[in-house]
Amino acid sequence: MTDQQLRVSKIENGTVIDHIAGGQALNVLAILGIDGSRGETVSVGMNVPSDRLGRKDVVKVEDRELSQSELDVLSLIAPAATINIIRGYDVVEKNLVERPSSVTGVLECPNQHCITAEDEPIDTHFEVLDDGVRCVYCDTIIRESIAEQIKV
Ligand code: CTP
Ligand code: ZN
């Protein structure tokens, strides 16, 4: 494939999430709540060759810009992602995701005995580490399986 060809077409308006680690695109779609049921136009490239990452995933969501809380969760599973806002085919904004120091209410604690897993309405609260997240209530650390703990 030459530089003149694109594997996934350019979009007119929306968000391109670029430089997602290879294999994480479906988790990114899950975070954004995209399952195709709302009729959104979404293009996904998986394991696309990349100079920087070797292989990367790319997700293009048309006619949608992402909220800060979506970006926070995204940063946990795609720390190297670039968020490109596209308007009229131009990249009008390019941002790196920033990892928050903690996330509240977005992940489920996998420890069934954790206070946040009880009936009391206590929001989950995880401290963000370099290589995962830690429940501030029970110290459970989640590393590889963060995507599975995202609340729906
Ligand atoms: N893109 C798109 N539709 C557009 C414009 C750009 O889908 N109308 C995509 C490009 O294919 C690329 C991303 O948005 O995946 C960023 O575009 P651009 O900044 O032009 O690419 P690069 O310079 O390669 O970006 P970076 O420096 O972040 O690697
Ligand atoms: Zn816990």
Side-chain angles (χ1 to χ4, degrees):
M1 213 157 179
T2 68
D3 286 348
Q4 281 73 38
Q5 293 172 298
L6 278 181
R7 241 168 257 266
V8 185
S9 300
K10 297 212 165 203
I11 61 173
E12 184 172 359
N13 293 298
T15 302
V16 174
I17 307 162
D18 201 357
H19 307 117
I20 302 165
Q24 290 294 325
L26 294 182
N27 288 331
V28 167
L29 292 179
I31 287 172
L32 302 180
I34 291 170
D35 61 7
S37 64
R38 287 187 213 100
E40 323 91 321
T41 302
V42 178
S43 316
V44 178
M46 286 192 200
N47 298 312
V48 176
S50 154
D51 291 344
R52 233 198 287 166
L53 299 176
R55 296 268 157 177
K56 68 175 182 180
D57 287 1
V58 184
V59 170
K60 303 188 179 189
V61 189
E62 296 187 35
D63 302 317
R64 173 149 164 203
E65 298 184 5
L66 304 180
S67 69
Q68 190 57 51
S69 65
E70 287 173 325
L71 293 176
D72 282 354
V73 189
L74 203 61
S75 73
L76 301 177
I77 64 153
T82 313
I83 310 294
N84 299 277
I85 308 289
I86 314 292
R87 290 189 199 132
Y89 287 104
D90 290 335
V91 179
V92 296
E93 218 180 288
K94 184 187 288 284
N95 294 305
L96 296 174
V97 293
E98 270 179 64
R99 282 164 80 79
S101 56
S102 71
V103 287
T104 301
V106 295
L107 299 172
E108 210 103 60
C109 183
N111 171 12
Q112 289 171 5
H113 304 293
C114 180
I115 189 166
T116 62
E118 286 169 19
D119 289 338
E120 303 296 319
I122 297 176
D123 265 347
T124 61
H125 188 188
F126 287 85
E127 181 192 347
V128 177
L129 314 172
D130 287 340
D131 61 344
V133 295
R134 186 178 60 83
C135 176
V136 301
Y137 296 104
C138 72
D139 282 341
T140 296
I141 290 180
I142 318 173
R143 289 202 174 86
E144 279 82 32
S145 57
I146 289 176
E148 286 144 47
Q149 299 307 131
I150 294 164
K151 289 193 185 188
V152 281

